[in-house]
Amino acid sequence: LTDMADPQMEASAGPELMEEGEPLLSNLDIFLFSLIVGLFVYWVVFRKKTEAIPEFKKLETPAPTARETSFIEKMKKTGKNIVVFYGSQTGTAEEFANRLSKDAQRYGMKGMAADPEEYDMSELSRLKEIDNSLAIFCMATYGEGDPTDNAQDFYDWLQEGDADLDGLNYTVFSLGNKTYEHYNAMGKYVDKRLSELGAKRIFDLGLGDDDGNLEEDFVSWREQFWPAVCEHFGVEATGEESSIRQYELKVHEDLNMNKIYTGELGRLKSFENQKPPFDSKNPFLAPVTVNRKLNKGGDRHLMHLELDITGSKIRYESGDHVAVYPTNDATIVNRLGEVLGVDLDTVISLNNLDEESNKKHPFPCPTTYRTALTHYLDITNSPRTNVLYELAQYASDPKDQENMRKMASSSPEGKALYQSWVLDSCRNILAILEDLPSLRPPIDHLCELLPRLQARYYSIASSSKVHPNSIHICAVVVEYKTKTGRTNKGVATNWLKSKVPTDNGHKATVPMYIRKSQFRLPFKASNPVIMIGPGTGIAPFMGFIQERAWLREQGKEVGETVLYFGCRHKNEDFLYQEELEAFEKEGVLTRLNVAFSRDQEHKVYVQHQLKNNKEAVWRQIHTDNAHIYICGDARNMARDVQTTFYEIAEELGGMMHTQAVDYIKKLMTKGRYSQDVWS
């Protein structure tokens, strides 16, 4: 310390000696006093700094290990010749990719599932360096024909690139939903583009329709796909039909409780020590400040929730979605433990048998069976056929084994049995175990096979201009009786219903993050907007109307703001009635059109209201440059509304049907006809 301080003291004391001309003792006193003060200050400041450094280091997350971005090198290293890429938003495409990569083993080949976001996709041109190689693409379509988040970079590369893919063997299975305008657009694009770049399609594009039976579409495609692969490469199936485990169980006897995952999705203890930025791997625990019932009567429960995002640095815009991570009902979890006769609080890890895999565990490990079944695994949806096939071996009754394997086959009677016994009866894994007493699989294999519990998305029912620190959700609680007499409850909505703000200091919180949307108000506030949203489809429009009100307050010129809302009965489920009527009274809503479908003998829906106002609607669209927004059910409402717009264009625009269809399609392309729909 003295060595460091001395030069500084000499520099300051020297001029004083020369200028002041004071006696030596006085100067020495000053010098010694300055030295002591300097040393003391230095000691205080630097001692604190040295203490702070270890604290800071503790907070740092360890540097990530260098990740292999070359799937070619990884395949060469592990002797793999088939790579299955997936574009997945909800986990289904990833699940199918894993099934295909496991299948390869049954045909004497070796496969790996791969997330295109994790690898350099320009290396596709190098796949021919590996003998008998094949790239399979399981591609889901999201939103208005868009790629899933993890396939966005790959999509951009395909669009911009001019790679030479000569020598690349490929096939595509796409996942979509027929009720949407751009059915399977992503899969179709990948298939077409790879062919244009010189790659060789070795089997037909598979089209999976989630509006019908996606599982059946996949199984049928896969049944024909593998024989085509065998023929192409001149290989024979090994006949190995036994179950192939992907993970091995490790039971932890005396692990420190601080090292065990308790529901976090990424970083351990991330729920205790929250740090922005918040996203799908690091959700924010938002306290629930309001949870109220919206409907005045009827047998349904419609609710309005408000989540507090103060201090989170989370930003959102009207039209965005809030993603929430629900937890499964403890009653179902406990019952699963009972039926399988296991201690759910056993601490376990499921470790990938392929040490080179990027996916070390199927869900965050180490954890307990209880946490896995509560936070990480989907235990309420009907299991897919591959789960039944792999679990069949654990049924002690040969008849149960036979039926489970039959349901997993592509035979007509097998498909019909799966459709009626599993899907139509809405049997989840617990119902299957209860109804097949001979089936008692080991819980670790069951945990390996069940898909991940996914985030649920809700259209945000508020404007950040008015509520910068609050996100509003409008949802209907799902509950229904199945054909087997059981009551099934929607995972997320029943969990949200239980999130009641309390005054006892313990806050009910919801793990959430924001997913950006293309559902946006027009850039020019003077453009009219036509909003069509029956039921909970009203949600984003509450945000839109709040924002238009705010724009008016700012002195902006705001165009006509028209809402078409539909519900069953005026006295029961007219959601946000007081707020909407107040907005109309203030002139924020130019016109509030409400269709009460069951308040009279004949049903009245939003499309009938549109037709009643056809002249005004046509003027707004054709003359005034209005933007149209539709939110709600895709299967019926969105389709019927679109047909109504065709009819208005034909009648008042003097168009033929094909011209009317083109006219509405052009509005979509220009971003003047937007849909936020679900099936």
Side-chain angles (χ1 to χ4, degrees):
L1 281 174
T2 321
D3 286 341
M4 290 171 72
D6 273 353
Q8 292 174 24
M9 296 305 139
E10 281 169 8
S12 59
E16 286 179 39
L17 280 166
M18 291 162 69
E19 286 170 29
E20 311 252 344
E22 287 181 10
L24 183 61
L25 187 63
S26 169
N27 282 330
L28 189 58
D29 285 348
I30 292 165
F31 171 76
L32 289 169
F33 180 74
S34 303
L35 182 61
I36 289 159
V37 170
L39 284 170
F40 178 76
V41 170
Y42 183 85
W43 180 74
V44 167
V45 171
F46 280 82
R47 180 181 66 95
K48 282 191 175 163
K49 277 191 183 167
T50 51
E51 275 186 6
I53 289 166
E55 284 298 312
F56 178 67
K57 277 187 175 163
K58 267 187 211 165
L59 292 172
E60 281 184 333
T61 46
T65 49
R67 199 157 45 79
E68 178 78 82
T69 60
S70 167
F71 64 87
I72 299 292
E73 295 312 316
K74 184 171 267 196
M75 288 173 78
K76 285 179 175 177
K77 202 190 299 180
T78 54
K80 305 232 162 80
N81 64 330
I82 291 180
V83 57
V84 194
F85 292 105
Y86 55 84
S88 189
Q89 197 74 30
T90 62
T92 310
E94 181 180 357
E95 204 184 310
F96 286 178
N98 281 321
R99 284 161 72 175
L100 289 168
S101 72
K102 278 171 90 173
D103 280 346
Q105 204 168 320
R106 296 191 173 112
Y107 295 89
M109 295 175 262
K110 283 187 84 178
M112 66 177 252
D115 182 343
E117 200 169 33
E118 293 186 358
Y119 294 102
D120 176 3
M121 294 304 284
S122 66
E123 287 209 328
L124 279 171
S125 58
R126 287 183 56 205
L127 194 59
K128 60 189 172 201
E129 294 172 16
I130 297 169
D131 289 340
N132 284 353
S133 60
L134 169 66
I136 306 171
F137 296 85
C138 288
M139 308 307 288
T141 299
Y142 168 63
E144 300 291 293
D146 304 315
T148 56
D149 294 347
N150 77 311
Q152 185 65 55
D153 291 345
F154 173 48
Y155 176 72
D156 294 343
W157 176 78
L158 281 176
Q159 279 197 310
E160 297 153 13
D162 52 355
D164 178 9
L165 299 183
D166 184 42
L168 168 71
N169 296 310
Y170 81 94
T171 192
V172 179
F173 182 81
S174 62
L175 298 83
N177 188 311
K178 268 213 173 81
T179 57
Y180 289 83
E181 187 75 27
H182 306 277
Y183 175 56
N184 269 321
M186 183 59 184
K188 289 172 182 172
Y189 177 75
V190 170
D191 179 58
K192 173 173 141 291
R193 190 71 185 121
L194 290 172
S195 179
E196 286 171 358
L197 294 172
K200 182 181 181 186
R201 182 192 298 110
I202 69 156
F203 189 66
D204 299 339
L205 166 70
L207 296 175
D209 176 20
D210 202 25
D211 186 46
N213 185 337
L214 186 59
E215 176 69 17
E216 188 179 302
D217 295 337
F218 176 69
V219 169
S220 302
W221 177 85
R222 173 176 163 249
E223 202 90 351
Q224 295 165 41
F225 164 68
W226 282 114
V229 171
C230 291
E231 194 180 325
H232 185 270
F233 292 125
V235 296
E236 280 183 36
T238 57
E240 238 185 84
E241 284 299 311
S242 64
S243 168
I244 300 157
R245 290 293 298 262
Q246 195 178 343
Y247 299 94
E248 66 178 347
L249 172 67
K250 178 170 173 46
V251 177
H252 303 280
E253 299 295 347
D254 50 1
L255 198 61
N256 182 331
M257 291 308 284
N258 286 327
K259 296 210 168 124
I260 298 166
Y261 281 88
T262 56
E264 310 93 317
L265 293 134
R267 181 173 55 84
L268 189 66
K269 301 291 171 201
S270 60
F271 284 168
E272 288 173 29
N273 178 14
Q274 292 251 284
K275 283 191 221 163
F278 296 104
D279 55 27
S280 60
K281 293 283 190 300
N282 180 36
F284 175 65
L285 290 181
V288 177
T289 54
V290 174
N291 185 346
R292 63 183 167 94
K293 188 176 179 181
L294 281 172
N295 51 317
K296 300 181 184 80
D299 52 4
R300 297 182 305 160
H301 183 101
L302 292 113
M303 56 190 172
H304 170 88
L305 281 96
E306 297 183 14
L307 308 180
D308 185 3
I309 54 167
T310 306
S312 66
K313 298 199 168 108
I314 289 172
R315 298 281 173 270
Y316 74 95
E317 287 182 63
S318 305
D320 282 343
H321 299 123
V322 57
V324 304
Y325 282 104
T327 58
N328 287 312
D329 185 342
T331 316
I332 303 175
V333 173
N334 291 333
R335 181 79 184 115
L336 275 168
E338 273 172 41
V339 169
L340 295 173
V342 292
D343 175 5
L344 292 176
D345 296 312
T346 307
V347 179
I348 57 119
S349 286
L350 285 177
N351 300 324
N352 202 320
L353 289 161
D354 176 2
E355 288 174 10
E356 294 295 327
S357 174
N358 279 13
K359 194 173 182 182
K360 301 298 177 200
H361 316 282
F363 42 77
C365 290
T367 190
T368 63
Y369 286 127
R370 186 183 304 283
T371 300
L373 293 169
T374 305
H375 294 273
Y376 299 138
L377 296 170
D378 183 347
I379 59 174
T380 57
N381 273 320
S382 296
R384 298 196 185 278
T385 58
N386 66 304
V387 177
L388 301 180
Y389 181 85
E390 300 233 8
L391 292 181
Q393 61 184 307
Y394 302 115
S396 54
D397 182 338
K399 189 86 186 113
D400 289 347
Q401 267 199 37
E402 187 193 329
N403 279 333
M404 288 176 77
R405 291 212 168 101
K406 188 191 281 182
M407 284 191 276
S409 75
S410 60
S411 70
E413 60 268 30
K415 285 179 181 175
L417 184 60
Y418 176 71
Q419 182 68 45
S420 64
W421 198 77
V422 178
L423 299 182
D424 295 345
S425 304
C426 304
R427 276 186 173 90
N428 57 28
I429 192 64
L430 176 58
I432 286 169
L433 291 169
E434 286 177 337
D435 294 346
L436 297 177
S438 95
L439 177 64
R440 291 297 174 261
I443 190 168
D444 62 293
H445 198 176
L446 183 66
C447 287
E448 174 179 322
L449 292 169
L450 290 173
R452 283 290 294 268
L453 183 60
Q454 298 294 327
R456 305 304 205 260
Y457 301 99
Y458 296 95
S459 303
I460 297 176
S462 53
S463 162
S464 58
K465 300 283 192 295
V466 183
H467 301 282
N469 293 316
S470 180
I471 284 173
H472 300 182
I473 293 174
C474 168
V476 58
V477 176
V478 177
E479 189 172 319
Y480 58 94
K481 268 266 192 294
T482 73
K483 287 181 178 176
T484 65
R486 293 177 171 93
T487 298
N488 276 9
K489 294 180 174 185
V491 176
T493 53
N494 281 277
W495 169 78
L496 283 171
K497 184 185 175 187
S498 70
K499 296 281 177 181
V500 182
T502 53
D503 297 326
N504 64 4
H506 176 75
K507 288 181 176 168
T509 58
V510 168
M512 53 72 68
Y513 68 96
I514 298 297
R515 189 172 71 182
K516 292 288 168 201
S517 159
Q518 300 302 311
F519 204 67
R520 289 280 181 266
L521 277 169
F523 181 70
K524 280 171 68 180
S526 56
N527 282 113
V529 298
I530 301 170
M531 303 170 288
I532 302 144
T536 55
I538 184 78
F541 303 136
M542 292 308 292
F544 279 12
I545 297 162
Q546 288 171 15
E547 192 139 325
R548 301 278 272 191
W550 180 84
L551 288 164
R552 285 182 83 207
E553 281 169 21
Q554 304 303 303
K556 295 262 171 31
E557 186 202 333
V558 176
E560 287 180 81
T561 305
V562 182
L563 175 67
Y564 290 86
F565 172 68
C567 61
R568 295 176 182 181
H569 301 282
K570 183 175 185 176
N571 297 329
E572 280 184 12
D573 53 357
F574 187 169
L575 309 184
Y576 301 108
Q577 180 179 355
E578 292 77 14
E579 292 97 315
L580 291 172
E581 287 175 348
F583 279 129
E584 188 180 32
K585 201 174 175 186
E586 290 159 22
V588 173
L589 264 179
T590 317
R591 180 146 182 189
L592 171 61
N593 305 281
V594 190
F596 304 109
S597 63
R598 301 181 188 184
D599 274 351
Q600 59 286 309
E601 268 183 55
H602 59 285
K603 297 270 176 75
V604 176
Y605 296 119
V606 281
Q607 60 268 27
H608 301 129
Q609 292 275 21
L610 275 170
K611 208 71 190 280
N612 291 345
N613 296 327
K614 60 190 176 190
E615 284 83 6
V617 169
W618 182 245
R619 170 186 54 77
Q620 286 154 353
I621 300 169
H622 197 63
T623 312
D624 301 342
N625 218 22
H627 285 233
I628 301 162
Y629 300 92
I630 297 153
C631 182
D633 160 53
R635 190 176 284 118
N636 301 307
M637 182 276 299
R639 204 178 270 172
D640 293 342
V641 164
Q642 201 162 317
T643 303
T644 303
F645 278 116
Y646 295 157
E647 289 167 1
I648 292 171
E650 285 171 49
E651 189 183 335
L652 297 171
M655 301 179 190
M656 304 284 287
H657 180 69
T658 50
Q659 291 173 309
V661 170
D662 284 346
Y663 183 85
I664 299 300
K665 288 257 168 35
K666 276 205 182 76
L667 291 182
M668 289 177 180
T669 312
K670 289 177 182 167
R672 281 183 52 205
Y673 190 110
S674 306
Q675 301 188 89
D676 180 1
V677 292
W678 54 83
S679 68

